[in-house]
Amino acid sequence: SRTSTYWLTRIQSFLYCNENGLLGSFSEETHSCTCPNDQVVCTAFLPCTVGDASACLTCAPDNRTRCGTCNTGYMLSQGLCKPEVAESTDHYIGFETDLQDLEMKYLLQKTDRRIEVHAIFISNDMRLNSWFDPSWRKRMLLTLKSNKYKSSLVHMILGLSLQICLTKNSTLEPVLAVYINPFGGSHSESWFMPVNENSFPDWERTKLDLPLQCYNWSLTLGNKWKTFFETVHIYLRSRIKSNGPNGNESIYYEPLEFIDPSRNLGYMKINNIQVFGYSMHFDPEAIRDLILQLDYPYTQGSQDSALLQLLEIRDRVNKLSPPGQRRLDLFSCLLRHRLKLSTSEVVRIQSALQAFNAKLPNTVDYDTTKLCS
């Protein structure tokens, strides 16, 4: 008597290897036909492979040669099941630099010109290399205007350097507050840099060998705290340094605390401000094409593929948020200011990503703090 395997193979051979009057032999292991005289003309359209892992869960009802649904952990793409892992996002946006931590620290300490980003200095309150009265708040901008002129690049900040001089016997000492605008937009869409808080780096001051009281102020972010930037907002205030009751410790006062303005002694000048970092590849049109596939998928499965790529970009962009209890929603800022999408479009895209992410196995979504309107 014949075994069940023999009859199964015999039936499959009649079904799938019986074209053009030639009968071949079907192989379950290779999912293929062996035709007489090594010809392939006996092969009919083979059904999809149903099974575990990368095999299909079911074949498509309208076309048995293609997958209809996939096993957990796999996504449907053009009739095949592919792992739910996004391909490289480098085509859309770059993230990495070849600089290692020690090499980067050395270049920042030397204020190496190779990592200097040429930002435009703007201020209505003061000019570089000119003395000014620092007893009131001064505002300075270092901006790139890339969202208007260099749409094919996004930029990463690694550090900041200022050279500040004081007149002799000055009672005023500079106090700096820094805000970062990641991709453009208004100043209200900037986040405050928490200098010297919760392990965030502090300013390092180095006395310069000049006749005046000049110091180099440097803030090193490096790989650990690097982030996107379009504009750096620097606010300069001053405090009055005075000796304490014991004579050993210093006490600081706000200049406005003194009714007598004669206590606000001295002038200040800023010789230069430099921002250090690097630029990365960015293709807004390619990302727009991905978004377009959410509404008009080009092929079966391309919508899932586009959602997976956008999820990867979203998570990698938001991972470069500043320290805090919750990440900032930098991805929405990218969509608003570098792709020029409307608020309603951004909300729709974020909702689609959240819904898709909820269906994926072993994924944890995270709450973000809104930054851009």
Side-chain angles (χ1 to χ4, degrees):
S1 61
R2 308 282 189 179
T3 63
S4 57
T5 306
Y6 167 82
W7 289 114
L8 178 64
T9 304
R10 186 83 172 154
I11 292 164
Q12 287 174 317
S13 298
F14 274 113
L15 285 172
Y16 311 131
C17 313
N18 193 20
E19 292 292 298
N20 301 313
L22 295 168
L23 178 63
S25 177
F26 182 80
S27 168
E28 185 76 46
E29 288 76 20
T30 61
H31 199 69
S32 64
C33 295
T34 304
C35 298
N37 305 320
D38 293 327
Q39 298 180 57
V40 291
V41 288
C42 75
T43 306
F45 291 107
L46 297 176
C48 74
T49 308
V50 178
D52 297 329
S54 60
C56 309
L57 188 62
T58 61
C59 296
D62 58 334
N63 186 345
R64 63 178 186 154
T65 68
R66 297 169 69 89
C67 293
T69 56
C70 298
N71 294 297
T72 303
Y74 292 84
M75 55 174 270
L76 191 64
S77 176
Q78 299 180 23
L80 298 171
C81 291
K82 294 183 178 179
E84 282 177 338
V85 177
E87 296 170 26
S88 171
T89 57
D90 290 345
H91 172 60
Y92 305 101
I93 182 170
F95 288 98
E96 306 306 331
T97 173
D98 295 333
L99 293 173
Q100 300 300 311
D101 285 336
L102 286 174
E103 184 183 13
M104 190 182 291
K105 192 169 185 180
Y106 175 79
L107 292 171
L108 287 167
Q109 283 173 344
K110 300 292 181 185
T111 61
D112 196 290
R113 302 302 292 266
R114 285 173 293 179
I115 57 168
E116 182 183 351
V117 181
H118 297 286
I120 306 162
F121 174 82
I122 302 170
S123 176
N124 291 326
D125 300 334
M126 52 157 287
R127 291 198 304 269
L128 294 177
N129 290 305
S130 296
W131 293 100
F132 59 89
D133 177 0
S135 58
W136 301 95
R137 189 173 73 160
K138 301 289 186 285
R139 183 183 176 191
M140 297 162 273
L141 302 181
L142 286 168
T143 188
L144 295 164
K145 301 287 185 186
S146 306
N147 53 340
K148 288 185 179 179
Y149 309 121
K150 290 183 182 175
S151 62
S152 63
L153 295 173
V154 289
H155 312 277
M156 199 69 76
I157 181 170
L158 296 172
L160 198 60
S161 175
L162 297 86
Q163 194 182 107
I164 303 175
C165 296
L166 306 170
T167 49
K168 200 173 180 183
N169 301 324
S170 172
T171 61
L172 296 172
E173 184 169 282
V175 180
L176 299 170
V178 181
Y179 292 80
I180 300 293
N181 188 303
F183 298 111
S186 66
H187 173 44
S188 63
E189 297 170 323
S190 302
W191 56 269
F192 175 68
M193 196 176 269
V195 173
N196 200 27
E197 290 180 19
N198 299 323
S199 78
F200 197 84
D202 194 6
W203 290 103
E204 293 179 29
R205 281 184 279 183
T206 310
K207 180 84 167 67
L208 298 172
D209 189 18
L210 293 171
L212 299 162
Q213 289 188 71
C214 291
Y215 294 85
N216 196 57
W217 286 55
S218 60
L219 186 64
T220 303
L221 304 180
N223 273 322
K224 185 176 182 182
W225 304 112
K226 67 183 179 183
T227 187
F228 296 103
F229 88 101
E230 183 69 31
T231 305
V232 180
H233 302 257
I234 303 169
Y235 289 96
L236 168 70
R237 296 189 69 177
S238 296
R239 58 185 180 179
I240 294 171
K241 187 175 181 179
S242 179
N243 289 329
N246 301 330
N248 296 331
E249 58 184 21
S250 296
I251 295 179
Y252 298 99
Y253 301 94
E254 291 289 329
L256 298 179
E257 285 177 8
F258 285 98
I259 299 171
D260 180 8
S262 64
R263 296 291 299 271
N264 300 345
L265 297 176
Y267 286 86
M268 198 178 289
K269 124 176 133 152
I270 298 178
N271 290 339
N272 62 54
I273 304 180
Q274 295 166 292
V275 59
F276 296 96
Y278 57 94
S279 300
M280 298 173 298
H281 160 75
F282 175 64
D283 190 341
E285 292 307 317
I287 296 180
R288 280 195 190 93
D289 283 346
L290 271 184
I291 292 166
L292 200 63
Q293 288 184 54
L294 303 190
D295 294 323
Y296 310 104
Y298 301 151
T299 57
Q300 187 181 5
S302 70
Q303 189 179 57
D304 284 0
S305 179
L307 282 162
L308 205 63
Q309 293 281 32
L310 286 168
L311 264 182
E312 179 78 1
I313 294 168
R314 182 198 72 170
D315 293 345
R316 293 193 73 181
V317 166
N318 287 345
K319 201 171 182 181
L320 288 161
S321 287
Q325 288 186 329
R326 298 171 73 183
R327 292 181 190 175
L328 289 178
D329 184 8
L330 297 183
F331 181 66
S332 286
C333 297
L334 180 77
L335 298 178
R336 285 283 292 118
H337 298 301
R338 296 309 294 271
L339 296 184
K340 310 293 189 212
L341 300 182
S342 67
T343 306
S344 59
E345 286 177 302
V346 173
V347 169
R348 186 177 64 83
I349 292 162
Q350 291 281 32
S351 298
L353 291 178
Q354 207 165 357
F356 180 73
N357 192 62
K359 296 176 187 174
L360 298 179
N362 306 320
T363 56
V364 179
D365 214 345
Y366 53 90
D367 291 326
T368 53
T369 301
K370 196 173 181 180
L371 180 67
C372 299
S373 59

